[in-house]
Amino acid sequence: MNRQNTRPGYLVWALAALALAAAVARFAVGMRQLDDVRYAADWNVSAGEMTVQAIDTPEWGDSFYDYYQVSFELTNHSQRPVDLEEYAFTATPEKGDKWSARFDAPWDSEAAYALRPQVPQGCTVPVSLTLRVDPEEVDGGALDVAFEDYAGGIPLGRITLP
């Protein structure tokens, strides 16, 4: 019986195991980086104290709604700019009906659309929005204000109509 030298076989298996371990480690590092990218894509905003003031019906508004000016300071903790268009914010009454109170702006204002107000990354800016309220559906109640992030919204605070 003739014994063959099996050390070259062990060396091949050891190199294959080392290559597999390196591939798994690289995969793990790549997945961690993807998780960081996901976090960077998330919105992260906060608001300072909110004030609410009743205003006259704007020239573009409907007279059967009540209008309010909601003001606060918004801080962008996200890794990208945040749009300040009215559709980026929601105001939900305690009843949960999103259509009885909403932030609004003139639809035909091309200048407002072209300016696209934004909060750069890491900045704080004053925000002033016009709130349109159906007085029959919201009886001076509290409204929860949120930044709409397509995942339910980021709560910014609660306001009570004057």
Side-chain angles (χ1 to χ4, degrees):
M1 202 153 144
N2 199 3
R3 278 188 100 179
Q4 296 179 343
N5 188 359
T6 58
R7 286 189 181 168
Y10 288 136
L11 182 60
V12 170
W13 280 106
L15 288 175
L18 187 61
L20 181 62
V24 168
R26 179 63 186 127
F27 177 76
V29 168
M31 290 304 290
R32 168 115 172 132
Q33 289 173 344
L34 280 178
D35 190 49
D36 290 344
V37 168
R38 183 200 56 77
Y39 174 76
D42 285 349
W43 298 113
N44 186 358
V45 296
S46 63
E49 183 180 343
M50 296 186 182
T51 60
V52 182
Q53 178 181 357
I55 59 172
D56 293 330
T57 302
E59 62 184 39
W60 48 266
D62 294 319
S63 60
F64 47 86
Y65 290 112
D66 292 336
Y67 290 88
Y68 300 90
Q69 197 74 35
V70 179
S71 302
F72 55 92
E73 284 196 345
L74 184 76
T75 303
N76 179 10
H77 307 284
S78 306
Q79 299 298 314
R80 57 185 171 172
V82 169
D83 286 333
L84 292 182
E85 298 287 341
E86 71 282 347
Y87 60 77
F89 299 91
T90 58
T92 309
E94 291 175 339
K95 297 176 187 174
D97 184 6
K98 290 187 176 184
W99 295 104
S100 55
R102 60 189 297 182
F103 292 106
D104 217 347
W107 290 101
D108 59 352
S109 174
E110 298 238 351
Y113 182 78
L115 289 175
R116 290 272 176 128
Q118 290 187 337
V119 182
Q121 169 186 345
C123 292
T124 299
V125 299
V127 176
S128 184
L129 300 168
T130 302
L131 181 66
R132 182 183 76 182
V133 175
D134 187 338
E136 294 179 6
E137 295 185 22
V138 180
D139 297 325
L143 299 171
D144 292 319
V145 178
F147 177 78
E148 191 61 50
D149 70 344
Y150 308 110
I154 299 170
L156 297 178
R158 178 172 275 205
I159 58 173
T160 304
L161 300 176

